[in-house]
């Protein structure tokens, strides 16, 4: 599928005003997206668990305006205006204008809130950008359906197309956001063994998944709640001309192939091997780029070592993954909830800033709250 498919046939902005509210979750990558080409096209395929508790709820109110010269919008987080969020949204609007031609016809009020603390080091871009993209797609759907000049065939936007175009738009806001709309596993980026996979949008993982992965748990340990040391835009760009980039991109394809088998036969040891190696490779790429960065903190390493020791002692299948920061996602099967939660409370919480952590698990995607 090509980008052009997402440029709509012309419709009129016949609705004066309205509002939509969506909630959309965050996701945690198992095979990491790190490195992109122009237009947010990923250098390699990635796959993620959609989360359940960590989410953003966004209400988008829109009202017709006189001039169509510029974008016009306000952004509020928990009721407070956030001027600092505007440049990112302005860039997003510029990137998606060709696909949503109504954007300059309306003034938008974007009211957003997260279930997790804003400066917790948990990326809000995936949940935030996907929630906004969903609200914008709801506006497009409403305009198409209200346009009396369109014939019946052109008047409806089917559910599959709605999700696909929303994912396409969300990708242009923040790459990983395109993996947040559905659950429980989402693939983004072309991979030979996954029919329908695309660099343009995320797709639901199309194969059977072994029961071992049902309700998989993710406890997020907040090791460092500070602002990100390296923005993901800067981070992705460090892969241009990186000495190990081409090998890394090949490795991601291989990791995906191995995970397909793992999800089929439920091999948790192999799951651990791939997921931990992917996390450490992401950080290795940062450590070996120019300029170089260390995004892990001493407590990140303490936690990793404690997890490895616990596995050795107990034969548990608990493992870790990391984002581009110091926080640790502790992943484990539902059947181990009790013993791993005890272990986290007794041995790992001491390494979290102010003892803070978030219990989450695999989720099933975004929800329309009202319109
Ligand atoms: O969506 P971005 O541009 O913030 O990039 C996210 C990159 C990682 O979180 C490190 C990996 C991933 O695949 O989510």
């Amino acid at each position: 599928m090509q980008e052009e498919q997402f440029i709509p046939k012309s419709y009129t902005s016949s609705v004066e005003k309205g509002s939509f509210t969506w909630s959309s979750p965050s996701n945690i990558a198992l095979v990491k997206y790190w490195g992109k080409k122009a237009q947010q096209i990923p250098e390699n395929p990635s796959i993620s668990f959609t989360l359940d508790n960590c989410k953003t709820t966004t209400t988008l109110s829109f009202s017709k305006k006189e001039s169509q010269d510029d974008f016009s919008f306000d952004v509020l987080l928990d009721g407070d205006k956030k001027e600092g969020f505007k440049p990112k949204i302005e860039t997003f609007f510029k990137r998606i204008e060709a696909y949503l031609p109504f954007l300059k016809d309306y003034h938008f009020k974007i009211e957003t809130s997260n279930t997790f603390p804003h400066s917790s080091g948990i990326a809000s871009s995936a949940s935030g950008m996907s929630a906004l993209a969903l609200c914008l797609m709801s506006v497009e759907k409403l305009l198409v359906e209200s346009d009396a000049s369109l014939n019946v065939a052109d008047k409806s936007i089917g559910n599959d197309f709605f999700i696909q175009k929303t994912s396409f738009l969300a990708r242009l806001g923040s790459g990983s956001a395109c993996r947040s709309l559905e659950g429980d596993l989402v693939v983004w980026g072309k991979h030979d063994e996954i029919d329908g996979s695309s660099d343009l949008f995320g797709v639901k993982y199309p194969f059977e998944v072994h029961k071992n992965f049902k309700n998989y748990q993710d406890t997020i340990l907040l090791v460092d709640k500070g602002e990100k040391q390296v923005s993901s835009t800067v981070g992705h760009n460090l892969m241009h001309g990186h000495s190990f980039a081409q090998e890394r991109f090949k490795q991601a394809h291989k990791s995906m192939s191995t995970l397909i088998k793992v999800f089929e036969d439920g091999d948790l040891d192999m799951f651990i091997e791939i997921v931990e190696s992917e996390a450490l490779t992401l950080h290795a790429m940062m450590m070996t780029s120019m300029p170089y960065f260390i995004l892990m903190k001493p407590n990140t390493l303490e936690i990793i070592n404690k997890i490895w020791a616990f596995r050795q002692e107990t034969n548990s299948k608990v493992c870790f993954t990391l984002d581009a920061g110091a926080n640790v996602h502790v992943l484990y099967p539902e059947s181990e909830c009790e013993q791993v939660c005890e272990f986290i409370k007794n041995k790992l919480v001491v390494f979290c800033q102010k003892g803070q952590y978030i219990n989450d698990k695999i989720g099933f995607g975004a929800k329309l709250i009202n319109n």
Side-chain angles (χ1 to χ4, degrees):
M1 196 182 252
Q2 301 294 312
E3 281 92 337
E4 292 75 51
Q5 305 256 1
F6 297 114
I7 298 177
K9 292 203 181 124
S10 72
Y11 53 79
T12 52
S13 297
S14 54
V15 180
E16 279 302 313
K17 60 180 184 172
S19 84
F20 290 98
T21 302
W22 278 90
S23 89
S24 189
S26 188
N27 66 75
I28 180 68
L30 305 170
V31 174
K32 306 289 179 183
Y33 148 60
W34 198 242
K36 62 180 170 185
K37 303 174 195 159
Q39 304 284 325
Q40 309 266 103
I41 296 297
E43 289 277 13
N44 64 259
S46 58
I47 186 166
S48 51
F49 277 150
T50 305
L51 294 181
D52 193 35
N53 294 331
C54 289
K55 54 190 177 211
T56 298
T57 300
T58 296
T59 298
L60 179 78
S61 312
F62 56 100
S63 50
K64 209 63 174 281
K65 66 180 171 67
E66 290 289 305
S67 138
Q68 280 129 37
D69 293 344
D70 293 306
F71 301 120
S72 167
F73 62 90
D74 291 314
V75 201
L76 291 87
L77 175 68
D78 299 327
D80 297 327
K81 271 203 179 172
K82 288 280 168 196
E83 292 300 319
F85 288 7
K86 285 184 119 177
K88 198 162 179 191
I89 293 177
E90 177 97 21
T91 304
F92 179 47
F93 278 13
K94 280 187 194 142
R95 286 184 188 155
I96 61 173
E97 193 186 359
Y99 308 102
L100 295 178
F102 62 84
L103 281 181
K104 283 186 177 154
D105 296 343
Y106 293 97
H107 172 76
F108 297 100
K109 186 167 157 201
I110 304 163
E111 292 170 278
T112 184
S113 62
N114 299 323
T115 54
F116 47 89
H118 175 62
S119 56
S120 60
I122 296 186
S124 56
S125 60
S127 52
M129 281 298 175
S130 54
L132 180 56
L134 283 157
C135 291
L136 290 168
M137 262 315 280
S138 286
V139 177
E140 173 156 281
K141 190 169 157 65
L142 176 69
L143 296 181
V144 167
E145 287 170 358
S146 323
D147 189 333
S149 69
L150 292 177
N151 61 40
V152 178
D154 292 333
K155 249 179 129 119
S156 89
I157 293 183
N159 205 32
D160 288 352
F161 182 78
F162 183 95
I163 291 293
Q164 206 166 76
K165 181 165 173 182
T166 306
S167 177
F168 171 84
L169 297 172
R171 184 197 97 235
L172 292 166
S174 171
S176 58
C178 78
R179 296 189 311 235
S180 272
L181 307 173
E182 298 178 285
D184 42 358
L185 276 166
V186 177
V187 176
W188 168 41
K190 183 84 199 111
H191 187 269
D192 285 347
E193 290 162 59
I194 303 181
D195 275 352
S197 58
S198 168
D199 286 346
L200 298 179
F201 45 78
V203 295
K204 231 170 112 75
Y205 182 72
F207 308 126
E208 278 287 291
V209 177
H210 192 276
K211 64 174 175 14
N212 282 354
F213 296 100
K214 198 169 169 270
N215 266 333
Y216 225 71
Q217 306 287 304
D218 178 5
T219 299
I220 309 162
L221 305 179
L222 305 179
V223 171
D224 181 32
K225 304 200 298 161
E227 282 291 307
K228 275 193 186 174
Q229 203 188 116
V230 186
S231 74
S232 47
T233 310
V234 172
H236 289 293
N237 284 338
L238 291 173
M239 291 303 277
H240 292 138
H242 191 298
S243 310
F244 306 136
Q246 294 314 315
E247 283 308 310
R248 156 62 197 150
F249 302 144
K250 270 193 232 159
Q251 177 201 32
H253 281 266
K254 261 176 77 184
S255 296
M256 290 287 293
S257 299
T258 311
L259 275 191
I260 292 172
K261 246 193 120 275
V262 163
F263 286 130
E264 190 182 322
D265 57 23
D267 183 346
L268 290 174
D269 292 319
M270 188 54 79
F271 177 77
I272 292 171
E273 206 171 292
I274 296 294
V275 168
E276 292 191 345
S277 154
E278 279 288 321
L280 293 178
T281 302
L282 168 71
H283 282 256
M285 289 300 110
M286 280 180 262
M287 287 189 224
T288 49
S289 58
M290 197 56 83
Y292 38 81
F293 296 94
I294 299 181
L295 301 186
M296 287 186 266
K297 298 282 181 205
N299 281 352
T300 312
L301 290 175
E302 292 283 1
I303 290 168
I304 291 174
N305 280 313
K306 288 274 183 298
I307 289 174
W308 285 346
F310 182 74
R311 257 203 334 251
Q312 191 104 50
E313 284 156 23
T314 64
N315 219 13
S316 159
K317 303 299 179 199
V318 65
C319 72
F320 72 87
T321 187
L322 308 166
D323 266 337
N327 295 336
V328 183
H329 288 250
V330 184
L331 302 177
Y332 47 100
E334 190 184 26
S335 59
E336 289 191 21
C337 261
E338 217 170 297
Q339 72 176 116
V340 175
C341 286
E342 273 305 293
F343 161 63
I344 290 172
K345 270 190 233 146
N346 296 337
K347 297 281 166 61
L348 303 185
V349 167
V350 59
F351 301 112
C352 298
Q353 227 177 13
K354 296 196 189 137
Q356 284 185 312
Y357 64 97
I358 298 171
N359 279 325
D360 210 337
K361 61 176 190 286
I362 280 193
F364 294 91
K367 288 195 188 85
L368 178 63
I369 308 291
N370 69 34
N371 60 22

